[in-house]
Amino acid sequence: MSHLHTTSDYATTGSNNNHSSSSAQHPTLHAQPPAPVVLTPALLSALKVAKIFKDNTQIITSLDFDDTGTKCVTSAQDESLHVYDCVTGKLDQTLFSKKYGVHLARFTHRSTNVVYASTKEDDTLRYLSLHDNKYIRYFKGHEKKVTALEMSPLDDQFLAGSEEAVRLWDLRSPNCQGAVSIIGQPAIAFDPSGLVFAVGLGCTLRLYDVKVFDQGPFDTGIVGQSLGINPSSVVATQLEFSSDGKNILVTTASDAHYIVDAYMPSTTRFRLVGHYSYGNEPFQSGGEACWTPDGKCIVSGSKEGNIYVWDIAKAIADQAAGHVNGAPGPGSVMNGVGGAGSNLLSANGELRPFKVLKAHGTPSHIVAFNPKYLMMVSGSTELAFWEPDPNAVFMH
């Protein structure tokens, strides 16, 4: 299970790392890092909005954390980049890309640099130093607007997808490292090892070996097909592997998300339902849902603004044990975590959320969980920082 520190723990003890030379005789307990917090369903249920930022005039279209979890960057339709400090809970920096627009801002493995997609003028990707607001490099080659962008967890390679190709790039070179020709708007993701990547096109999921991706996918599956879902109803907007690499979240803008077996992509394990779809909302972020860092739960935004939480680890255990029931009645999850006797998994693979967190009054288009600290971020035109309610839980 993932161990996360609260931001308050980090702020008060994070800089206290020095051990005196006499530590062998006198244990310096105060110098130890704070005890990690185990991310439980009860703790997730206690999340509440701790701070709201109103720095944007239009919808936030992407958000990303750096590797340390201390910084968060957003891009928005008002052509701005905002960088937030997750420890102090303050806005650090505001930059604008008025000439080219900005979307899909992603930290590289340095918290001072980001790479992002253009929304006008051309389809060039831009590698920007936040320190001095200067471009380090340009990546030219996409012939249509880039709608998906992900950094490799392994090295300086990254994937970018447009309606004509998914291209592999390296931050150290302006030249494309290779491409997969496609038709349609792709969703893309690296697995945690950085050795495999997935491409979603509509209902089709394809897995590639990074080193020999030009040879085509080594496995393919149709999302939802094993559950009897009509493939035409599934349009992937984003993919994300769980932290153990065993499952893939397939996000959609409709009334369902899907959990697919990463080792057998023809097997869809669950259909996540119970939230309000975006329907005919004009904007889809591709970041409507995400895994928690421990790979055990999914959080999702919704049209009415609330955040929905599904317990995937429990569903896998229930499914293996044959503990499935019919779908509960309307509103049964609204009062909080299901009791010990409740079961939110149906025999047809439909899984309902165990918690609904009250959030924005406007659609929560995008949501992400900090990879290192116990906080979640969601966005619409506003940005919300979430932390556990100190009155509801005890941090040990």
Side-chain angles (χ1 to χ4, degrees):
M1 186 169 285
S2 175
H3 295 259
L4 306 176
H5 297 295
T6 64
T7 54
S8 58
D9 281 339
Y10 182 87
T12 56
T13 65
S15 61
N16 195 7
N17 293 324
N18 297 322
H19 294 266
S20 68
S21 59
S22 61
S23 60
Q25 293 79 18
H26 303 284
T28 53
L29 296 180
H30 66 280
Q32 301 300 316
V37 176
V38 178
L39 193 59
T40 63
L43 203 54
L44 289 172
S45 298
L47 288 172
K48 61 177 291 187
V49 175
K51 190 165 187 178
I52 292 179
F53 298 89
K54 300 183 178 182
D55 302 310
N56 293 100
T57 59
Q58 295 184 50
I59 291 172
I60 295 168
T61 60
S62 74
L63 62 87
D64 189 44
F65 293 99
D66 73 340
D67 288 348
T68 69
T70 59
K71 300 291 183 182
C72 174
V73 64
T74 67
S75 66
Q77 289 180 338
D78 57 15
E79 299 169 340
S80 68
L81 282 165
H82 289 93
V83 181
Y84 296 89
D85 189 312
C86 298
V87 177
T88 63
K90 295 181 179 179
L91 174 65
D92 254 7
Q93 195 174 9
T94 300
L95 303 170
F96 289 94
S97 182
K98 294 291 187 181
K99 183 176 181 180
Y100 304 107
V102 58
H103 185 34
L104 302 169
R106 304 289 188 240
F107 279 110
T108 66
H109 294 296
R110 293 188 177 186
S111 59
T112 55
N113 299 336
V114 296
V115 60
Y116 69 85
S118 309
T119 60
K120 57 185 183 180
E121 289 289 322
D122 57 29
D123 303 304
T124 299
L125 302 170
R126 290 176 161 78
Y127 182 19
L128 175 70
S129 167
L130 297 172
H131 175 68
D132 51 13
N133 195 21
K134 292 183 179 179
Y135 293 114
I136 301 171
R137 187 164 289 117
Y138 303 96
F139 306 96
K140 300 180 179 181
H142 285 278
E143 299 172 2
K144 292 187 177 181
K145 179 181 176 181
V146 172
T147 56
L149 179 63
E150 297 295 337
M151 282 294 306
S152 166
L154 180 65
D155 50 32
D156 285 335
Q157 294 188 110
F158 65 98
L159 286 170
S162 63
E163 290 188 359
E164 41 83 31
V166 172
R167 297 180 183 274
L168 183 68
W169 302 90
D170 191 304
L171 291 173
R172 297 163 293 186
S173 169
N175 301 319
C176 178
Q177 307 297 299
V180 176
S181 296
I182 59 171
I183 298 175
Q185 184 168 311
I188 56 178
F190 280 99
D191 83 326
S193 72
L195 301 177
V196 171
F197 68 84
V199 175
L201 284 169
C203 63
T204 303
L205 186 61
R206 302 171 184 171
L207 300 181
Y208 295 84
D209 184 324
V210 172
K211 294 182 178 179
V212 291
F213 69 90
D214 57 325
Q215 297 179 13
F218 64 81
D219 212 345
T220 302
I222 304 298
V223 179
Q225 188 175 55
S226 65
L227 298 180
I229 305 299
N230 181 355
S232 64
S233 67
V234 180
V235 179
T237 57
Q238 184 178 2
L239 306 177
E240 184 184 359
F241 283 83
S242 57
S243 55
D244 61 9
K246 294 180 179 179
N247 295 289
I248 303 173
L249 166 65
V250 180
T251 300
T252 80
S254 68
D255 58 357
H257 305 308
Y258 298 87
I259 303 297
V260 174
D261 188 324
Y263 298 144
M264 293 189 296
S266 60
T267 299
T268 300
R269 306 189 75 156
F270 307 111
R271 182 174 184 260
L272 310 185
V273 299
H275 60 295
Y276 289 88
S277 72
Y278 293 88
N280 295 320
E281 283 291 318
F283 171 74
Q284 297 170 9
S285 70
E288 294 89 357
C290 71
W291 288 98
T292 52
D294 57 3
K296 296 183 183 299
C297 293
I298 297 292
V299 293
S300 173
S302 62
K303 185 176 181 178
E304 93 284 17
N306 293 331
I307 304 295
Y308 291 75
V309 192
W310 292 265
D311 191 336
I312 305 304
K314 183 178 185 300
I316 291 174
D318 287 344
Q319 192 176 63
H323 296 160
V324 295
N325 296 323
S332 62
V333 0
M334 298 300 288
N335 295 324
V337 181
S342 67
N343 196 311
L344 303 173
L345 177 63
S346 301
N348 63 0
E350 286 195 347
L351 180 65
R352 301 185 69 82
F354 71 82
K355 183 66 179 181
V356 180
L357 303 169
K358 299 295 182 182
H360 310 274
T362 53
S364 46
H365 290 105
I366 193 163
V367 61
F369 220 100
N370 192 305
K372 299 294 184 181
Y373 298 100
L374 189 47
M375 68 170 294
M376 181 176 70
V377 176
S378 63
S380 54
T381 51
E382 302 173 347
L383 187 72
F385 276 20
W386 297 70
E387 291 188 349
D389 184 348
N391 298 317
V393 296
F394 294 95
M395 300 296 181
H396 296 296

